[in-house]
Amino acid sequence: MADLEKVKVLVVGDSGVGKTSLVHLICHNEPCYTPTATIGCSVEVKLHEYRAGTPSEKDFFVELWDIGGAASHANSRSIFYHQVQGIILVHDLTNRKSHQNLRKWLAETLSKDDLKPNNGYDFDPEQFAGNQTPILVIGTKIDSAQSLREKNTLRSSHIAEECGADEFNLDCLQVKQLAPGSTNAVKLSRFFDKVVERKLSSNQGHISPMQTRRVWKNSHAD
């Protein structure tokens, strides 16, 4: 098990939307009734069967990096945004502002240190049109949002459409909403497969330091 390859997935969204409860449910298959505020970052690991049920099935460790959403830590979060293979955007279905802010989170995570001072964290769809990082959008607290249907809170996420991302909504206290074979579980597994494929494609295009030295030596040989 210790020799399994790992992939890194960021879990981002406003403070209080339920990221910690979501990560706990995904990794431990049980609800977290007393989540605490995340300071900086917390990492949990899930074992994922890549292409499960096929001849190419392989186990991977998925590291879920639960990023603290406090605005006071915005300037220091970029240290967590390197070598990322996937992003989960989390919003609270009862808090429309948290959904609107997903664009800022996407801009922050994809831009890293390249944010333009005059643009802040504004999301520009064209700027990230070539993004290859898999994205999943998850709405939490669907139990509380049921009564808000008439306000269109539960309609499809615009940012999911813009990014071509899968999305689903759930109550993090209900284990059955991520039960094997459920629509949510299938979407999550499909997302993790894309994350692994992102990792594998990066590995294929990587040139090791030894290869670099060999190329340099051959190019300078007279």
Side-chain angles (χ1 to χ4, degrees):
M1 295 286 286
D3 296 330
L4 292 182
E5 288 190 71
K6 61 184 180 181
V7 293
K8 178 178 178 180
V9 174
L10 297 178
V11 182
V12 297
D14 286 358
S15 180
V17 297
K19 298 184 298 295
T20 300
S21 296
L22 173 65
V23 169
H24 188 88
L25 177 61
I26 292 173
C27 294
H28 302 284
N29 196 36
E30 64 180 19
C32 178
Y33 292 105
T34 56
T36 57
T38 302
I39 306 299
C41 175
S42 176
V43 182
E44 296 257 23
V45 179
K46 175 180 175 59
L47 182 64
H48 173 64
E49 294 180 349
Y50 171 63
R51 291 188 176 179
T54 71
S56 56
E57 179 178 322
K58 183 179 179 181
D59 288 340
F60 281 81
F61 282 134
V62 177
E63 293 182 347
L64 295 171
W65 289 55
D66 174 11
I67 309 297
S72 58
H73 299 148
N75 293 332
S76 60
R77 286 193 291 257
S78 62
I79 62 174
F80 304 123
Y81 297 161
H82 298 281
Q83 297 181 334
V84 172
Q85 285 83 44
I87 301 171
I88 297 178
L89 300 173
V90 186
H91 65 106
D92 176 350
L93 291 166
T94 67
N95 181 349
R96 183 168 297 181
K97 183 65 175 178
S98 72
H99 175 263
Q100 296 170 347
N101 286 342
L102 292 183
R103 290 178 173 82
K104 296 181 181 181
W105 282 104
L106 186 59
E108 179 180 313
T109 54
L110 292 181
S111 297
K112 303 181 182 68
D113 298 325
D114 300 326
L115 294 169
K116 300 177 182 178
N118 63 335
N119 198 30
Y121 291 143
D122 290 342
F123 176 77
D124 180 357
E126 293 185 0
Q127 181 180 356
F128 303 116
N131 169 59
Q132 298 298 315
T133 305
I135 296 170
L136 178 65
V137 179
I138 299 180
T140 61
K141 307 181 184 179
I142 192 173
D143 53 319
S144 300
Q146 296 293 343
S147 61
L148 301 178
R149 284 184 182 275
E150 67 274 14
K151 297 181 180 180
N152 297 320
T153 305
L154 301 182
R155 64 186 176 187
S156 297
S157 166
H158 292 305
I159 193 168
E161 296 174 356
E162 293 166 359
C163 298
D166 264 339
E167 67 171 325
F168 61 83
N169 304 324
L170 83 172
D171 173 5
C172 293
L173 297 181
Q174 297 294 325
V175 176
K176 64 182 181 181
Q177 294 189 9
L178 274 184
S182 65
T183 300
N184 292 350
V186 170
K187 287 184 177 181
L188 183 63
S189 180
R190 184 166 57 201
F191 168 72
F192 286 152
D193 275 0
K194 292 178 181 178
V195 170
V196 170
E197 288 165 0
R198 174 65 175 160
K199 170 81 169 185
L200 295 177
S201 64
S202 297
N203 289 346
Q204 291 173 353
H206 175 70
I207 300 178
S208 69
M210 182 63 71
Q211 290 174 308
T212 302
R213 286 194 293 270
R214 187 179 300 116
V215 171
W216 184 92
K217 182 178 180 180
N218 291 340
S219 66
H220 288 75
D222 293 326

